[in-house]
Amino acid sequence: MSLTAAMKSTGNGFRSLWLPCGLVMIVMLGLLHLGVGARPVSAQFIVDTIFARDHGSFEQQILLKLRLPRLLAAIVCGASLGIAGRLMQSILRNPLAEPHILGLNAGASLAIVIMTALPANMLALSMSRQLAATMGSGVLFAIILALSSAGRTGMTISKVTFCGIALSALASACVSAILILDQETLEQMRFWLAGDLSGISLANISSALPLLTIALGLTVWIALRLDVLALGDATAAGLGVPVRQTKLIGLAATALFCGSSVALAGPIGFVGLIVAGVAHRLADGRHMMSLPLSALLGANLMIAADIAARTIAAPHDLATGLMTAFVGAPVFIIVVARVLR
């Protein structure tokens, strides 16, 4: 075997370990997440509580009804945003593409705030939060793509990024206007708008699963096509890949992931930006590996951010979205400096 072939084989072996390593990290961070708080508990107590039939003690009730749903929400939202970021970067060929930056989170937030502000008789006729958020994400992102495609140069990295930032700001201004005019809605939404995992129940998570399952199915459907799409639209079309259909399916899956995540925990930003590029490099561009790796990295990042949110200002909790922004904003600046120089 030649030296080059041996190095390639070794590299493939290392890459195959990233997924199990990500799962191990989720377990370790999950135990830490469940253990810290106003009443710290040991890993052994956590395992005993989860597998016990009798959950009568106060600590067990806290663990099962408060901390476990919060952990599951962190995993679901982090994985969803990680996959959404990877899909957006692949389809748009834009390393700056991320749901929070390109307006999907803002569109979902605006849809949910409008839905919350509706009168009770209209609210009864409205759609679910997840579906409303998904439609808000899709509509605003479609407008961003249409605007950034206008002109002689067509869609460029800088145009789609700046259009996303501008329309995100516009949607956020609309949200602020609604909340200023409706004090009751403001009281309901102020913590949620910062990206908060507290107060999420297992029922909330279950309500998000149907749309997330559809999004996951769509992602698996086009994963292999995305490898070919990376060669360019013309090459992919020549190899038999339906380019337009693949992009529309990927963007629909992205809207479903983002809408479900925002409906569950609010507009948490920068998760996709942070993990998608890392997953792409670790997986050597192969989407059947980079997509699940993005999910694992996103889940780990969200769990770590939520641990920080619960412990930095203890006994007070900070919003998880603040923690991801503290990390994600510098990463965004670094990526912008590299891409737009």
Side-chain angles (χ1 to χ4, degrees):
M1 180 185 294
S2 67
L3 179 60
T4 302
M7 291 177 64
K8 184 176 181 180
S9 176
T10 302
N12 290 335
F14 278 122
R15 281 192 289 271
S16 65
L17 295 176
W18 289 122
L19 294 178
C21 286
L23 289 171
V24 171
M25 282 298 299
I26 286 182
V27 173
M28 295 174 62
L29 284 173
L31 290 174
L32 179 61
H33 184 282
L34 293 173
V36 300
R39 287 175 175 262
V41 295
S42 66
Q44 185 62 51
F45 178 84
I46 295 169
V47 174
D48 291 343
T49 298
I50 292 174
F51 291 101
R53 292 184 178 179
D54 183 21
H55 303 130
S57 72
F58 182 66
E59 288 81 3
Q60 288 176 323
Q61 292 298 310
I62 290 177
L63 188 67
L64 294 174
K65 293 186 177 180
L66 296 179
R67 295 185 187 177
L68 184 59
R70 184 164 180 163
L71 171 62
L72 294 176
I75 293 172
V76 169
C77 292
S80 298
L81 294 173
I83 296 175
R86 180 68 255 145
L87 284 173
M88 292 182 73
Q89 291 186 10
S90 296
I91 292 171
L92 300 178
R93 299 191 191 94
N94 182 351
L96 298 174
E98 199 270 340
H100 195 68
I101 296 168
L102 296 192
L104 279 86
N105 285 359
S109 300
L110 178 58
I112 289 181
V113 168
I114 292 173
M115 181 179 173
T116 305
L118 289 174
N121 58 338
M122 294 182 65
L123 185 61
L125 300 175
S126 62
M127 63 194 75
S128 70
R129 283 169 62 97
Q130 287 76 20
L131 187 55
T134 298
M135 293 183 65
S137 293
V139 169
L140 190 61
F141 190 47
I143 295 172
I144 290 169
L145 293 179
L147 291 176
S148 60
S149 300
R152 290 178 298 176
T153 58
M155 186 185 299
T156 64
I157 291 176
S158 58
K159 283 174 66 177
V160 72
T161 302
F162 293 145
C163 284
I165 293 172
L167 287 185
S168 291
L170 178 61
S172 297
C174 293
V175 168
S176 298
I178 294 171
L179 297 180
I180 289 172
L181 296 173
D182 191 339
Q183 189 66 29
E184 183 179 348
T185 302
L186 172 61
E187 291 299 320
Q188 294 181 48
M189 308 298 288
R190 57 177 180 165
F191 291 110
W192 175 86
L193 284 170
D196 190 20
L197 293 174
S198 63
I200 295 177
S201 66
L202 292 177
N204 297 140
I205 299 172
S206 298
S207 66
L209 292 181
L211 292 184
L212 288 175
T213 301
I214 295 172
L216 189 60
L218 294 175
T219 302
V220 173
W221 183 12
I222 65 170
L224 292 177
R225 296 185 190 178
L226 293 175
D227 289 343
V228 183
L229 199 64
L231 302 174
D233 290 357
T235 303
L239 294 173
V241 172
V243 175
R244 184 179 180 84
Q245 181 197 68
T246 300
K247 290 184 176 182
L248 289 175
I249 292 172
L251 294 176
T254 301
L256 287 167
F257 279 124
C258 293
S260 298
S261 175
V262 172
L264 192 60
I268 297 176
F270 297 106
V271 174
L273 178 69
I274 296 170
V275 306
V278 175
H280 180 69
R281 288 174 175 81
L282 294 179
D284 197 24
R286 294 178 299 162
H287 287 84
M288 285 300 288
M289 183 173 180
S290 68
L291 287 166
L293 189 55
S294 295
L296 292 176
L297 291 175
N300 278 298
L301 176 61
M302 190 73 81
I303 297 171
D306 198 45
I307 292 172
R310 293 169 56 201
T311 55
I312 286 178
H316 303 288
D317 282 4
L318 298 176
T320 311
L322 296 179
M323 299 296 104
T324 60
F326 286 145
V327 177
V331 171
F332 177 67
I333 294 171
I334 292 170
V335 176
V336 167
R338 294 179 57 187
V339 172
L340 301 182
R341 63 185 174 182

